[in-house]
Amino acid sequence: MTQAPATPRRSARRHDREIITLALPAFGSLVAEPLFVMVDSAVIGHLGTPQLAGLGVAAALLTTAVSVFVFLAYATTAAVARRVGAGDLPAAIRQGMDGIWLALLLGAAVIAAVLPTAPALVELFGASGTAAPYATTYLRISALGIPAMLVVLAATGVLRGLQDTRTPLYVAIGGFTANAALNIGLVYGAGLGIAGSAWGTVIAQCAMAAVYLVVVVRGARRHGASLRPDAAGIRAGAQAGVPLLVRTLSLRTVLMIATAVAARLGDAEIAAHQIVLTLWSLLAFALDAIAIAGQAIIGRYLGAGDRDGARAACRRMVQWGIASGVALGILVVAARPLFIPLFTSDPAVRGPLLTTLLVVALTQPVSGIVFILDGVLMGAGDGPYLAWAMLVTLALFVPAALAVPALGGGLTALWWAMALMMTVRMLTLWLRARSGRWIVTGAFR
């Protein structure tokens, strides 16, 4: 009895199952990561304002240092997924090990750079005289955990490429729980103060990295993959990561410029901007979870040589992105009366918030398309195009943002400039997706 050909509806249901299976655990692990800083803030906040201010500066530096290397997760996901699609699991895990070795090398380099320059970095970020010693202490101790943090990024990419987003979720939950317990025990039980919080985070991150390494090493032994560092593989991973690094730095620059412009608009505007940016980042987690699923699924289809499957998956995920963006936009508008009082009771801050959140809500469908196509092109290994597209976006955003204070605009005008930035990103990514040039099949791009 012959099997009935796949109908468009049946194909869509299959893609939906894949997306949900990968995206839901990915969302959980994405949300778990910021909770590390929240726990540290909650624990240290009871020590005093200088300690909390010191944590704020040190955490910003650490987040920047680690986030610029997020390509370790993105590039590894795409490379591993391609080899999975090609049916070569040993090569997939071997590629993952190269990513982990690269993470260790980069982590060692960051430690060497941060430890001697910690006081200067803290001063550069504008820490006050009372907060600077605490920031320096936290930064120097936490820097020792950066190699583990980068290993976590790379190993997460390995498992995502293997179509496993559940293990990263479980590890993230375990790491968050351990971090909370260690912080309370070392800060208050052992009386180590802010240093105890830093050591707690380092220990938790190292434990997470150890769990990941056990999982990956077991997979390598099961499939006969070598664990030794391969210079060519590490070099290839670094080369694939450079364009994604340029993309990430460009996006970071956009956010930094937006914050700098908001600061020039006044205290109420910068306060409102930080609240809006917090919400915008939270919404991004939901959309990024679908993008992560896209990286893994697209890489697997291209590795298997299935052009039609890759195109169909891309179309379905874009539909998911639009629908999710519409739903999130409606949620933002409906939740404004509940959301705003959680953060401020100042009428001067509430005014800009009300109108700016409407801009954020209106642009969520655009953001949905951007995040999905970003994930699709990452899964295809199309890093060079992503880098150039983000540089073009940055070049158009800068004059638009700088014109806001010059023309007497307020926070809402600044976020319309952010909407312009997302629209430009959408257009550049859509043109690339429509061209089909990203569809390069095989185990290697």
Side-chain angles (χ1 to χ4, degrees):
M1 187 173 179
T2 58
Q3 186 177 3
T7 64
R9 182 176 296 179
R10 187 179 302 166
S11 176
R13 285 200 299 265
R14 187 182 75 249
H15 290 311
D16 290 345
R17 285 194 298 271
E18 286 185 323
I19 294 167
I20 292 171
T21 300
L22 292 171
L24 284 180
F27 175 71
S29 60
L30 286 170
V31 171
E33 285 301 316
L35 294 179
F36 272 79
V37 177
M38 289 180 63
V39 167
D40 290 359
S41 299
V43 173
I44 292 176
H46 292 285
L47 295 177
T49 300
Q51 290 90 333
L52 186 58
L55 170 67
V57 172
L61 285 163
L62 283 168
T63 301
T64 301
V66 174
S67 64
V68 296
F69 296 114
V70 73
F71 70 83
L72 288 166
Y74 295 158
T76 304
T77 297
V80 171
R82 273 185 176 270
R83 287 154 182 79
V84 169
D88 193 348
L89 282 177
I93 297 174
R94 172 67 265 174
Q95 181 65 44
M97 285 303 304
D98 291 336
I100 290 172
W101 281 111
L102 176 61
L104 288 170
L105 291 173
L106 291 172
V110 173
I111 286 180
V114 169
L115 288 182
T117 60
L121 290 171
V122 167
E123 183 180 355
L124 181 64
F125 264 60
S128 66
T130 54
Y134 296 109
T136 301
T137 297
Y138 190 93
L139 180 59
R140 277 183 166 156
I141 296 173
S142 295
L144 300 176
I146 287 178
M149 296 179 195
L150 299 188
V151 166
V152 167
L153 284 177
T156 300
V158 176
L159 295 181
R160 288 174 181 168
L162 294 171
Q163 318 296 295
D164 175 10
T165 56
R166 289 183 180 272
T167 300
L169 172 60
Y170 299 147
V171 175
I173 292 173
F176 166 72
T177 304
N179 182 59
L182 286 166
N183 265 262
I184 295 171
L186 293 175
V187 172
Y188 297 115
L192 296 180
I194 195 169
S197 177
W199 280 117
T201 300
V202 169
I203 295 170
Q205 291 286 353
C206 288
M208 291 172 65
V211 172
Y212 274 120
L213 288 175
V214 168
V215 173
V216 175
V217 167
R218 282 180 179 173
R221 288 176 175 168
R222 186 164 56 249
H223 296 286
S226 174
L227 299 174
R228 295 180 179 178
D230 177 66
I234 294 172
R235 186 164 53 250
Q239 290 172 347
V242 168
L244 296 180
L245 176 62
V246 172
R247 167 205 167 273
T248 302
L249 289 174
S250 300
L251 183 55
R252 279 272 162 188
T253 303
V254 165
L255 299 178
M256 288 173 62
I257 290 173
T259 300
V261 170
R264 294 179 61 185
L265 299 177
D267 289 346
E269 283 76 10
I270 185 61
H273 174 76
Q274 287 304 114
I275 295 171
V276 175
L277 196 58
T278 299
L279 176 63
W280 190 75
S281 300
L282 180 62
L283 297 173
F285 284 138
L287 299 173
D288 204 24
I290 306 174
I292 286 169
Q295 293 173 30
I297 292 169
I298 293 297
R300 192 187 75 236
Y301 274 117
L302 294 178
D306 189 350
R307 291 173 174 267
D308 292 338
R311 286 194 183 94
C314 176
R315 284 194 299 270
R316 190 59 178 169
M317 281 183 284
V318 168
Q319 291 169 1
W320 268 76
I322 295 171
S324 299
V326 170
L328 290 173
I330 294 172
L331 181 63
V332 170
V333 174
R336 280 190 310 162
L338 300 174
F339 175 78
I340 293 175
L342 290 176
F343 287 89
T344 181
S345 58
D346 187 347
V349 178
R350 287 188 173 193
L353 267 179
L354 282 169
T355 53
T356 304
L357 287 176
L358 284 177
V359 178
V360 172
L362 288 171
T363 55
Q364 284 309 295
V366 173
S367 297
I369 297 172
V370 168
F371 276 83
I372 299 309
L373 291 181
D374 213 33
V376 165
L377 297 183
M378 283 184 190
D382 204 12
Y385 182 84
L386 290 172
W388 282 110
M390 197 61 226
L391 286 172
V392 169
T393 302
L394 175 62
L396 293 174
F397 170 75
V398 171
L402 295 181
V404 170
L407 298 176
L411 187 66
T412 303
L414 174 60
W415 274 87
W416 276 119
M418 291 285 285
L420 171 66
M421 179 270 296
M422 294 301 291
T423 303
V424 172
R425 288 187 71 190
M426 182 187 70
L427 291 174
T428 57
L429 296 175
W430 177 77
L431 288 172
R432 185 65 168 183
R434 189 166 179 264
S435 73
R437 293 178 183 175
W438 55 277
I439 302 177
V440 179
T441 59
F444 302 90
R445 181 178 172 87

